[in-house]
């Protein structure tokens, strides 16, 4: 019998960290954390779970990216600032630290704008350092398709960055 | 990292990634969230099936109301079917599919009240029925001790009429296939998808109505338009159980309002209530009702039947309201009472018409592009487009004309009829505008001449130039 308590305790830092890194918001990360475990629990009822940590990271990443997308849509719907102005840190501080905060917020925004599942694949690759093969196995794609998705995402990131840099004073 | 992507890494992008990876993560999650997660798995073994209420309770607060609403929505679908099947009517494929999904996971008990405004002459302003649902069985309690039990898995229903000592046994071939195609064992997954859909639909689709008290208990409400039907749901903010739901749609001179209340989910129900055994001494009357997914041939047959019911005129629209009105008038003409239990022949005829609606609902559900332009067209009007749709994966549209011939038509040769009904205008169950004319119990013996229907750029409604010889 699977010990649910152990699964939760062992994977809490991993899932919480995954959710927080992408969402950087206490309430959203908490919701994502809870949804992730409950979704994994349901998966376990339908099929044997090979690796709980892999399953949980995959679900947490997908849910977090989904939340980022909804956050973006909400901002756009409500007419809130959704561009660079929206992510500019309001706090004054060392230039380096401020730039880092803005870069982090920029990357989250770009991840939210990526077509699915590219955002999830890219996050699993660069944030969780999963191999192409591992991503392919968990997402249900071929390793080469994963490679293509990551390549495409990098190209998009470069493009987005270039367009930002052309706007004076933004980076 | 693989070589072939890392070489392309932009230093700034790399820095952004590093920021995300190294950003300090605060302690978490909050203890109540962790406790909820632990309790979700500890309350039972991982393989045990949980009730809907337990599933909803185990969700976080944001998901709770959405889940309750989603659950409410499937019960609405079930109730809509209940409404459609009484007395002795039929139900739509998609609604049945929704109902199947809902009832595989729970028992339910609720009251359903139908009001017709203004009430038809000689009929009470409202009728109330008790509905019981247990797995694949639905029991509907009717006045006079009459009750009906439907088994969705065996595709059969029995209606027990004590006063006449009679049992109507209705076979519904095709229903099992609908169940097989549509029923989901993954109810929780289905619920999750519905929640996501609800959450993602945004304020354009869901109108949140805020909170108000029902008998001293706060409830949260929302309004949504589903397939053109107005649905209002109020769910208890604490228990997340539905408190009140209302379906409204308009039809010609009358407005229909179906209200569901007194909900009890996952209640123990006596299996004897769902017995389909024929009581001793009762006579059996066998009937049948084709519940298989309708095809293009059903569309053509049904359109012919619709026109025959209205002295050769096709209906103005294909929607729940129009079809309900058409059938009601026809039944009144047939027997002098639309509420009288129909004969098998009448049921067959009625089903042919209802399958047109189901076919169109099916197309909408599959996101298939379709248009209906039957208003003002008469049966036999060769070359006048009445209905066209693009089958999944096809390059050409299928077009039905007034003489009920069907042809393939290229997309660039489609007719331009500005008032054609389509999937984007809330059809097929788009309520008609509020009633303005007084109720007309029966159609005139000779309908008024149909107004000319001319496309904006053409003096006559001719078939598009690219229509080849009719396929059938």
């Amino acid at each position: 019998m699977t010990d649910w308590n152990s699964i939760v305790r062992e994977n809490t830092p991993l899932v919480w960290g995954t959710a927080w890194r992408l969402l950087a918001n206490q309430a959203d990360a908490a919701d994502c954390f809870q949804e992730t475990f409950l979704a994994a629990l349901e998966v376990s009822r339908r099929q044997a779970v090979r690796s709980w940590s892999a399953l949980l990271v995959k679900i947490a990443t997908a849910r977090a990216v989904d939340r980022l997308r909804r956050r973006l849509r909400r901002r756009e719907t409500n007419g809130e600032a959704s561009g660079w102005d929206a992510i500019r840190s309001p706090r004054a501080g060392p230039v380096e630290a401020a730039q880092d905060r803005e870069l982090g917020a920029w990357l989250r925004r770009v991840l939210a704008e990526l077509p699915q599942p590219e955002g999830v694949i890219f996050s699993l690759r660069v944030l969780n350092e999963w191999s192409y093969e591992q991503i392919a196995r968990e997402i249900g794609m071929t390793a080469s398709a994963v490679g293509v998705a990551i390549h495409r995402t990098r190209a998009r990131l470069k493009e987005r960055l270039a367009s930002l840099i052309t706007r004076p004073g933004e980076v | 990292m693989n070589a072939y992507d890392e070489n392309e890494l932009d230093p700034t992008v790399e820095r952004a990634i590093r920021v995300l990876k190294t950003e300090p993560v605060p302690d978490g999650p909050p203890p109540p969230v962790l406790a909820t997660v632990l309790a979700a798995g500890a309350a039972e073994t991982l393989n045990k099936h949980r009730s809907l209420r337990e599933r909803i309770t185990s969700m976080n607060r944001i998901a709770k109301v959405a889940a309750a609403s989603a659950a409410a929505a499937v019960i609405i679908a079930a109730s809509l079917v209940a409404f459609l099947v009484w007395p002795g009517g039929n139900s739509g494929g998609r609604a049945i599919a929704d109902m199947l999904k809902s009832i595989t996971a729970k028992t339910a008990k609720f009251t359903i009240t139908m009001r017709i405004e203004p009430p038809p002459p000689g009929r009470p302003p409202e009728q109330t029925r008790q509905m019981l649902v247990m797995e694949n069985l639905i029991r509907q309690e009717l006045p006079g001790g009459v009750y009906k039990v439907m088994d969705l898995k065996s595709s059969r229903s029995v209606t027990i009429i004590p006063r006449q000592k009679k049992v109507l046994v209705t076979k519904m071939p095709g229903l099992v296939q609908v169940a097989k195609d549509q029923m989901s064992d993954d109810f929780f997954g289905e619920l999750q998808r519905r929640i996501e859909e609800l959450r993602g639909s945004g304020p354009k689709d869901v109108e949140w109505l805020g909170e108000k008290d029902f008998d001293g208990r706060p409830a949260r409400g929302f309004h949504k338009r589903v397939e053109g039907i107005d649905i209002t749901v109020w769910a208890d903010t604490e228990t997340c159980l539905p408190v009140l739901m209302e379906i409204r749609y308009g039809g010609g001179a009358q407005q229909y309002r179906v209200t569901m209340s007194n909900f009890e989910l996952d209640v123990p129900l006596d299996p004897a209530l769902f017995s389909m055994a024929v009581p001793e001494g009762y006579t059996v009357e066998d009937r049948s009702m084709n519940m298989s997914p309708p095809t293009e041939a059903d569309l053509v047959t049904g359109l012919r039947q619709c026109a025959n019911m209205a002295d050769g005129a096709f209906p103005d629209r294909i929607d729940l309201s129009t079809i309900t009105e058409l059938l009601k008038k026809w039944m009144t003409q047939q027997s002098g009472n639309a509420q009288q239990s129909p004969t098998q022949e009448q049921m067959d005829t009625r089903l042919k018409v209802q399958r047109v609606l189901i076919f169109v609902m099916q197309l909408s559900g599959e996101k298939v592009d379709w248009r209906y332009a039957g208003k003002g067209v008469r049966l036999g009007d060769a070359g006048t487009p009445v209905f066209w749709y693009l089958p999944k994966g096809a390059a050409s549209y299928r077009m039905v004309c007034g003489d009920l011939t069907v042809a393939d038509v290229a997309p660039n040769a489609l007719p331009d009829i500005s008032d054609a009904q389509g999937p984007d205008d809330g059809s097929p169950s788009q309520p008609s505008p509020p009633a303005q004319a007084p109720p007309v119990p029966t159609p005139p013996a000779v309908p008024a001449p149909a107004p000319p229907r001319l496309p904006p750029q053409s003096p006559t409604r001719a078939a598009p130039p690219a229509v080849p010889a009719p396929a059938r």
Side-chain angles (χ1 to χ4, degrees), chain A residues 1-2 4-5 7-9 12 16-17 20-22 24 26 30-31 33-35 37-39 41-42 44-46 52 63 66-67 70 73 77 96 99-101 103-104 106-108 111 122 125-127 129 132 144 147-148 150-151 154 157-158 161 171, chain B residues 1-6 8-10 12-13 15-30 32-34 36-42 44-50 55 58-63 186 188-189 192 196 199-201 203-204:
Chain A
M1 174 55 63
T2 312
W4 177 246
N5 262 21
I7 292 167
V8 175
R9 303 258 178 227
T12 285
W16 177 250
W20 176 269
R21 273 195 200 99
L22 284 165
Q26 181 86 4
D31 273 348
F33 177 89
Q34 187 169 316
E35 284 176 1
F37 275 102
L38 294 179
L41 189 59
E42 282 308 315
S44 75
R45 291 196 174 99
R46 298 194 300 271
W52 277 96
R63 297 283 165 126
D66 193 39
R67 255 170 201 283
R70 286 205 297 271
R73 275 205 301 269
T77 305
E96 192 86 350
Q99 281 179 347
D100 277 355
R101 279 196 298 273
L103 274 173
W106 169 80
L107 184 54
R108 288 186 184 100
L111 286 175
F122 189 76
R125 175 70 182 141
V126 301
L127 299 181
E129 298 184 357
Y132 285 14
S144 58
V148 169
I150 290 172
H151 177 77
R154 288 191 184 287
L157 287 171
K158 273 176 141 177
L161 196 62
V171 169
Chain B
M1 286 188 153
N2 291 43
Y4 99 82
D5 62 356
E6 306 322 313
E8 303 168 29
L9 208 58
D10 183 286
T12 313
V13 173
R15 184 173 156 193
I17 292 168
R18 197 172 56 245
V19 168
L20 255 62
K21 285 176 76 171
T22 57
E23 216 170 38
V25 177
D27 288 342
V33 172
L34 186 59
T36 305
V37 168
L38 287 168
E44 52 189 327
T45 66
L46 289 186
N47 295 320
K48 187 179 161 195
H49 183 77
R50 289 188 301 160
R55 287 170 176 171
S58 69
M59 292 177 184
N60 63 16
R61 192 169 176 78
I62 300 167
D186 178 19
F188 186 71
Q192 290 274 25
E196 290 301 323
R199 285 170 151 190
S201 55
K204 284 180 187 168

Side-chain angles (χ1 to χ4, degrees), chain B residues 35-227:
Chain B
T36 305
V37 168
L38 287 168
E44 52 189 327
T45 66
L46 289 186
N47 295 320
K48 187 179 161 195
H49 183 77
R50 289 188 301 160
S51 72
L52 178 71
R53 189 191 299 231
E54 286 168 334
R55 287 170 176 171
I56 290 175
T57 307
S58 69
M59 292 177 184
N60 63 16
R61 192 169 176 78
I62 300 167
K64 273 182 177 178
V65 170
S69 305
V74 291
I75 291 177
I76 282 177
S79 307
L80 184 59
V81 170
F83 164 65
L84 287 170
V85 299
W86 114 43
N90 308 303
S91 51
R94 282 189 68 202
I96 279 208
D98 283 345
M99 177 171 63
L100 289 170
K101 283 169 187 164
S102 73
I103 63 171
T104 52
K106 64 180 181 291
T107 62
K109 190 176 173 184
F110 57 95
T111 304
I112 177 167
T113 302
M114 187 182 77
R115 292 182 190 86
I116 303 177
E117 295 161 354
R123 285 189 62 188
E126 67 177 43
Q127 298 177 54
T128 300
R129 305 279 158 83
Q130 180 77 37
M131 300 292 298
L132 305 173
V133 183
M134 187 173 75
E135 295 182 346
N136 53 304
L137 299 165
I138 302 169
R139 177 185 164 113
Q140 184 189 150
E141 294 178 352
L142 307 164
V146 178
Y147 67 92
K148 180 173 186 170
V149 178
M150 186 189 287
D151 182 351
L152 295 160
K153 280 192 175 165
S154 68
S155 297
R156 207 166 67 98
S157 78
V158 296
T159 306
I160 314 285
I161 311 171
R163 200 175 295 165
Q164 299 174 24
K165 288 210 159 194
K166 189 162 86 174
V167 178
L168 304 179
V169 178
T170 308
K171 289 177 184 162
M172 297 172 284
L175 189 59
V176 170
Q177 189 55 45
V178 172
K180 198 176 161 190
D181 292 345
Q182 307 286 346
M183 193 189 294
S184 169
D185 292 331
D186 178 19
F187 181 74
F188 186 71
E190 188 62 35
L191 197 59
Q192 290 274 25
R193 282 188 285 280
R194 283 169 185 270
I195 292 165
E196 290 301 323
E197 191 184 312
L198 201 65
R199 285 170 151 190
S201 55
K204 284 180 187 168
D205 297 314
V206 177
E207 180 192 357
W208 292 94
L209 304 175
E211 283 192 12
K212 73 173 178 181
D213 279 6
F214 284 82
D215 295 328
R217 302 196 64 175
R220 190 168 296 177
F222 78 87
H223 165 257
K224 188 172 181 174
R225 204 169 170 80
V226 180
E227 294 286 351

Side-chain angles (χ1 to χ4, degrees), chain B residues 272-287:
Chain B
L273 289 168
F274 299 89
S275 169
M276 298 180 81
V278 176
E280 206 175 317
Y282 277 54
T283 57
V284 176
E285 194 177 309
D286 287 314
R287 295 179 165 192

Side-chain angles (χ1 to χ4, degrees), chain A residues 4-155:
Chain A
W4 177 246
N5 262 21
S6 304
I7 292 167
V8 175
R9 303 258 178 227
E10 282 167 19
N11 290 284
T12 285
L14 186 65
V15 174
W16 177 250
T18 300
W20 176 269
R21 273 195 200 99
L22 284 165
L23 294 164
N25 173 292
Q26 181 86 4
D28 278 354
D31 273 348
C32 180
F33 177 89
Q34 187 169 316
E35 284 176 1
T36 298
F37 275 102
L38 294 179
L41 189 59
E42 282 308 315
V43 171
S44 75
R45 291 196 174 99
R46 298 194 300 271
Q47 62 194 60
V49 176
R50 197 177 50 243
S51 162
W52 277 96
S53 57
L55 173 68
L56 288 164
V57 167
K58 182 187 78 172
I59 296 174
T61 304
R63 297 283 165 126
V65 170
D66 193 39
R67 255 170 201 283
L68 281 177
R69 292 161 73 89
R70 286 205 297 271
R71 199 191 280 175
L72 187 68
R73 275 205 301 269
R74 218 166 32 237
R75 281 180 180 156
E76 284 167 354
T77 305
N78 296 342
E80 295 171 18
S82 57
W84 189 246
D85 288 345
I87 58 173
R88 183 182 289 280
S89 168
R91 287 184 297 169
V95 174
E96 192 86 350
Q99 281 179 347
D100 277 355
R101 279 196 298 273
E102 290 173 0
L103 274 173
W106 169 80
L107 184 54
R108 288 186 184 100
R109 178 174 157 74
V110 176
L111 286 175
E113 290 171 345
L114 286 174
Q116 291 293 24
E118 285 179 18
V120 175
I121 292 172
F122 189 76
S123 301
L124 289 172
R125 175 70 182 141
V126 301
L127 299 181
N128 298 84
E129 298 184 357
W130 280 18
S131 68
Y132 285 14
E133 290 71 25
Q134 191 178 5
I135 297 171
R137 197 167 51 241
E138 294 297 331
I139 300 279
M141 300 169 76
T142 62
S144 58
V146 170
V148 169
I150 290 172
H151 177 77
R152 202 181 294 142
T153 303
R154 288 191 184 287

Side-chain angles (χ1 to χ4, degrees), chain B residues 348-365:
Chain B
D348 289 344
T349 305
R350 207 160 65 170
L351 187 57
K352 283 178 190 166
V353 173
Q354 287 166 328
R355 284 171 73 77
V356 174
L357 179 63
I358 298 169
F359 181 78
V360 172
M361 289 173 82
Q362 200 169 275
L363 295 183
S364 291

Side-chain angles (χ1 to χ4, degrees), chain B residues 161-459:
Chain B
I161 311 171
R163 200 175 295 165
Q164 299 174 24
K165 288 210 159 194
K166 189 162 86 174
V167 178
L168 304 179
V169 178
T170 308
K171 289 177 184 162
M172 297 172 284
L175 189 59
V176 170
Q177 189 55 45
V178 172
K180 198 176 161 190
D181 292 345
Q182 307 286 346
M183 193 189 294
S184 169
D185 292 331
D186 178 19
F187 181 74
F188 186 71
E190 188 62 35
L191 197 59
Q192 290 274 25
R193 282 188 285 280
R194 283 169 185 270
I195 292 165
E196 290 301 323
E197 191 184 312
L198 201 65
R199 285 170 151 190
S201 55
K204 284 180 187 168
D205 297 314
V206 177
E207 180 192 357
W208 292 94
L209 304 175
E211 283 192 12
K212 73 173 178 181
D213 279 6
F214 284 82
D215 295 328
R217 302 196 64 175
R220 190 168 296 177
F222 78 87
H223 165 257
K224 188 172 181 174
R225 204 169 170 80
V226 180
E227 294 286 351
I229 300 171
D230 284 299
I231 298 175
T232 304
V233 177
W234 288 93
D236 188 304
T237 44
E238 289 305 314
T239 65
C240 293
L241 293 175
V243 175
L244 184 80
M245 291 187 286
E246 188 180 82
I247 299 171
R248 274 183 299 152
Y249 67 99
Q254 286 169 322
Q255 297 288 313
Y256 299 85
R257 181 184 294 188
V258 182
T259 309
M260 283 143 287
S261 55
N262 305 320
F263 289 96
E264 293 177 69
L265 298 183
D266 291 317
V267 286
L269 293 175
D270 183 355
L273 289 168
F274 299 89
S275 169
M276 298 180 81
V278 176
E280 206 175 317
Y282 277 54
T283 57
V284 176
E285 194 177 309
D286 287 314
R287 295 179 165 192
S288 68
M289 191 187 291
N290 180 11
M291 296 304 296
S292 60
T295 62
E296 184 184 279
D298 290 303
L299 170 72
V300 171
T301 304
L303 285 174
R304 182 190 302 281
Q305 196 59 60
C306 288
N308 285 339
M309 283 179 173
D311 290 326
F314 289 106
D316 288 356
R317 295 175 61 84
I318 297 176
D319 59 26
L320 184 60
S321 306
T322 309
I323 295 298
T324 303
E325 286 296 309
L326 178 69
L327 290 174
K328 214 165 65 180
K329 284 178 183 172
W330 177 75
M331 279 299 288
T332 306
Q333 284 176 321
Q334 291 286 304
S335 60
N337 180 2
Q339 294 304 300
Q340 190 173 307
S341 186
T343 63
Q344 177 66 51
E345 193 184 343
Q346 286 170 336
M347 278 175 62
D348 289 344
T349 305
R350 207 160 65 170
L351 187 57
K352 283 178 190 166
V353 173
Q354 287 166 328
R355 284 171 73 77
V356 174
L357 179 63
I358 298 169
F359 181 78
V360 172
M361 289 173 82
Q362 200 169 275
L363 295 183
S364 291
E366 292 169 356
K367 309 287 181 204
V368 165
D369 186 34
W370 61 269
R371 293 289 183 279
Y372 175 72
K375 187 178 179 184
V377 183
R378 296 191 62 81
L379 183 62
D381 287 351
T384 308
V386 168
F387 190 94
W388 57 99
Y389 72 103
L390 183 64
K392 269 196 162 179
S396 299
Y397 278 73
R398 297 284 290 165
M399 179 178 286
V400 183
C401 289
D403 59 354
L404 299 180
T405 55
V406 188
D408 289 325
V409 178
N412 60 2
L414 290 172
D416 184 4
I417 300 174
S418 58
D419 59 347
Q421 179 192 354
D424 297 331
D425 59 358
S427 51
S429 37
Q430 166 84 31
S432 303
Q436 291 175 352
V440 181
T442 53
V446 181
R453 291 174 36 77
L454 307 177
Q457 77 287 28
S458 166

